[in-house]
Amino acid sequence: TDTDNADEAVRATCDDATTCKRFATSKGYWKDPYIQYFVRSVGDRKAPEINRGYYARVQGVNHLLDAFLRKTQCDCQVINLGAGLDTTFWRLKDENLMPRKFFEVDFPTVVARKIHNIKTKPPLSKPIIETHSTDSLLLDAHSLESDRYCIIGADLRDLSSLDEKLKKFQLNPELPTLLLSECVLVYMTPSHSSNLVHWAAETFHTAMFINYEQVNMSDRFGQVMIENLQRRQCTLAGVEACQTLDSQKDRFLKTGWEHVDALDMMTVYTMLPQDDVARIERLEFLDEKELLQQLLQHYNICWATKDKLNLGLSQLAF
Ligand code: SAM
């Protein structure tokens, strides 16, 4: 059916993200020794502005995520929604920044692929076994459950099933919780993403939600971005919520979040540690600075907090 085809095109987007991240790390933009186990080859060359865009995305999201982990002293849980083939679990383990439990959710077929890679690649499976105390490690085709890391196959549009599965995997609603969605909500209709964000606000009393995705999509450049995706049968069903930074913030303000902020990625880029930005700008020559600016102005990070435990989550920023 059309819906199945649309979902299949959305599932395929996780390969794009991982391929681009793999290429950028092969050039030295940042380090990720685990991503090679999820995409076989470095693949075709990507334009320098694409690599810088991924650099800003990864550093920007990591900045807020790590700030949350430090603020809660890792006495918290993380839920990566639409995680795809993301490698953050392994980074946090290596950097001694592991939350009590790290959850990932994606479509069952994507999860099955990820689990297959983990099962067959010791550098991926070893850290999971190391952080597991008993011999009851549950690993089947569609889910992984260990003490510190869970991967769950679920559709983020079906909230009752999502809620049920997370609880089955020992999600603790009392614990400070970081929810992350990186290029995920834009593939869902505005009502589906609002419902998801609302579910999160209702479920956790002390939490932060970090959302990275497109913004300012109503201009010519945004239209071209949409057309490029459509050519590959991929529809940005949530593009209405990506018109402005205010529409990004409204999704959270209307669903029970207390403190909300949003920055476009050009602004984030200028706020990242500038010595490292200078380093990556020397990696590849970029002729068209304006192209990078335009690209970065069409993505944003929006983050929202609620803080019953008064941990000071609303201070987390760039
Ligand atoms: N967050 C990862 C990253 O940044 O590397 C992957 C991003 S990829 C562009 C989007 C991911 O969201 C895909 O893995 C896709 O399967 C997942 N996704 C989109 N809609 C979903 C839904 N309704 N339920 C579960 N996963 C979904």
Side-chain angles (χ1 to χ4, degrees):
T1 69
D2 285 353
T3 319
D4 291 337
N5 290 338
D7 283 357
E8 188 47 45
V10 168
R11 283 191 282 270
T13 61
C14 73
D15 287 311
D16 295 341
T18 309
T19 307
C20 290
K21 288 176 182 177
R22 167 110 208 241
F23 186 83
T25 55
S26 79
K27 287 272 167 198
Y29 280 83
W30 71 95
K31 288 199 173 76
D32 186 339
Y34 299 101
I35 202 156
Q36 56 179 314
Y37 303 114
F38 290 108
V39 267
R40 254 179 240 122
S41 66
V42 169
D44 297 336
R45 183 181 167 273
K46 307 287 183 300
E49 67 272 13
I50 302 288
N51 298 328
R52 289 191 193 183
Y54 270 90
Y55 168 83
R57 164 174 171 175
V58 169
Q59 302 303 313
V61 168
N62 286 353
H63 170 84
L64 290 175
L65 169 63
D66 293 2
F68 179 89
L69 288 162
R70 295 208 164 88
K71 188 63 116 183
T72 58
Q73 300 178 323
C74 295
D75 194 10
C76 65
Q77 57 200 354
V78 174
I79 311 175
N80 190 347
L81 302 164
L85 305 173
D86 185 87
T87 55
T88 302
F89 166 79
W90 291 274
R91 177 180 74 83
L92 297 180
K93 163 109 184 6
D94 286 348
E95 295 183 0
N96 278 316
L97 266 180
M98 275 266 286
R100 274 219 233 163
K101 202 153 182 169
F102 192 95
F103 296 87
E104 292 184 351
V105 181
D106 209 299
F107 283 120
T109 50
V110 174
V111 164
R113 280 182 50 205
K114 187 162 197 171
I115 290 177
H116 176 76
N117 284 318
I118 292 173
K119 271 188 186 169
T120 52
K121 314 237 159 66
L124 295 178
S125 54
K126 231 180 110 224
I128 300 173
I129 295 164
E130 275 169 19
T131 52
H132 192 72
S133 57
T134 62
D135 53 9
S136 65
L137 195 130
L138 187 141
L139 229 178
D140 60 36
H142 294 283
S143 58
L144 177 153
E145 183 180 11
S146 73
D147 287 354
R148 308 295 289 275
Y149 188 25
C150 283
I151 312 181
I152 302 168
D155 187 330
L156 297 169
R157 295 166 297 190
D158 182 352
L159 292 172
S160 56
S161 147
L162 175 70
D163 192 273
E164 186 191 305
K165 286 177 179 166
L166 283 165
K167 294 207 168 110
K168 202 181 111 207
F169 285 72
Q170 324 304 329
L171 178 89
N172 178 359
E174 298 303 315
L175 213 54
T177 301
L178 185 285
L179 299 114
L180 170 64
S181 56
E182 191 182 322
C183 280
V184 174
L185 301 189
V186 72
Y187 297 107
M188 302 164 59
T189 63
S191 71
H192 279 134
S193 65
S194 280
N195 289 342
L196 178 62
V197 162
H198 184 215
W199 163 84
E202 270 190 327
T203 304
F204 307 103
H205 55 67
T206 303
M208 179 174 185
F209 200 122
I210 305 172
N211 180 48
Y212 172 94
E213 69 184 3
Q214 288 87 341
V215 75
N216 299 326
M217 293 300 272
S218 37
D219 65 9
R220 182 73 202 117
F221 193 91
Q223 289 311 304
V224 173
M225 287 167 66
I226 294 169
E227 284 159 20
N228 284 341
L229 278 159
Q230 272 167 351
R231 212 166 297 135
R232 301 160 53 203
Q233 265 68 52
C234 204
T235 317
L236 297 181
V239 81
E240 270 167 69
C242 299
Q243 297 309 328
T244 62
L245 289 176
D246 278 331
S247 53
Q248 287 281 298
K249 289 201 259 185
D250 277 349
R251 174 158 53 199
F252 290 93
L253 288 169
K254 286 181 179 150
T255 52
W257 292 85
E258 289 159 9
H259 188 273
V260 186
D261 251 312
L263 294 173
D264 74 65
M265 292 310 289
M266 189 57 225
T267 309
V268 170
Y269 192 70
T270 62
M271 293 171 118
L272 292 173
Q274 291 300 300
D275 48 346
D276 201 51
V277 171
R279 177 188 67 79
I280 66 111
E281 288 190 342
R282 286 191 298 267
L283 291 174
E284 289 182 287
F285 180 68
L286 179 68
D287 202 9
E288 290 200 61
K289 291 257 153 58
E290 253 166 54
L291 193 56
L292 175 70
Q293 277 182 1
Q294 269 194 317
L295 189 68
L296 291 180
Q297 277 158 2
H298 286 80
Y299 287 92
N300 83 109
I301 296 186
C302 179
W303 66 100
T305 57
K306 47 184 301 198
D307 195 0
K308 190 172 158 227
L309 296 177
N310 279 317
L311 301 175
L313 297 182
S314 69
Q315 300 154 12
L316 300 178
F318 284 91

